[in-house]
Amino acid sequence: MTPKQPKIAALLLAAGHSSRFGGNKLAAKIGGHSILERSATALAKANCCWLIAVSAPATPLPPDLGFQSIENQERDEGIASSIRLGVSRADDLGAEGVLIALADMPYVETHHLQALIDHALATPAQLSFTAAGDLRLAPAAFLRRWFPALLALHGDEGARSIIRDAPDNAGVETLIASLRDIDRLEDLKP
């Protein structure tokens, strides 16, 4: 008998302004694919029941990956508004947890995203975060018990306070090179 697959929703946060980049950074190309396509493809391959993208108005999502799109009209508040929208949709769908990934992190690999889900399901904290040495960051996974805390977030700190206060054993180590995010044009250089 196969164990019951947990119902996890993958949330791709793609509603930023790209102000430091000087244009739509998610459309910029790395290796022939847009930053958004690279991030979305890795997330789509993780073992999730639903794919939800919270994006800026008129952000085209890569076709054929199966993402539901939510337009964030309150993105000026910061990343917390995107988290609330995504978690609210996941809650409406009956998700048992969420995997939160950032669209401007095109080097995160699917195996790390899957490891975050597996670890959140296995640890008593019922969450997991990305760890690289002393760093604690997204992507991160949160089971349902964390939905109220995620829905209460405000501003541009994201879930940083939750991750900061999480036990050390909730971290899933990865290489720092895979955590490069694209904020400025120079970040595209190898």
Side-chain angles (χ1 to χ4, degrees), residues 47-62:
N47 199 10
C48 295
C49 291
W50 300 281
L51 301 171
I52 301 166
V54 182
S55 61
T59 299
L61 289 171

Side-chain angles (χ1 to χ4, degrees), residues 11 52 54 70 81-91 98:
L11 307 181
I52 301 166
V54 182
I70 303 172
S81 63
S82 291
I83 292 172
R84 289 194 312 269
L85 282 171
V87 171
S88 180
R89 173 69 58 88
D91 189 29
V98 292

Side-chain angles (χ1 to χ4, degrees), residues 139-170:
F142 302 88
L143 298 190
R144 177 172 274 285
R145 78 171 259 220
W146 290 100
F147 284 11
L150 293 167
L151 290 168
L153 294 172
H154 290 281
D156 204 30
E157 288 293 307
R160 192 172 294 156
S161 61
I162 298 171
I163 292 170
R164 182 189 59 237
D165 295 339
D168 290 341
N169 65 2

Side-chain angles (χ1 to χ4, degrees), residues 86-142:
V87 171
S88 180
R89 173 69 58 88
D91 189 29
D92 290 346
L93 293 168
E96 296 171 26
V98 292
L99 170 63
I100 300 175
L102 307 179
D104 66 353
M105 294 178 74
Y107 300 104
V108 175
E109 297 180 2
T110 301
H111 68 85
H112 178 66
L113 297 168
Q114 187 62 53
L116 287 165
I117 295 168
D118 295 342
H119 196 65
L121 292 165
T123 185
Q126 297 185 4
L127 69 84
S128 63
F129 58 86
T130 296
D134 291 337
L135 295 175
R136 294 174 169 225
L137 8 123
F142 302 88

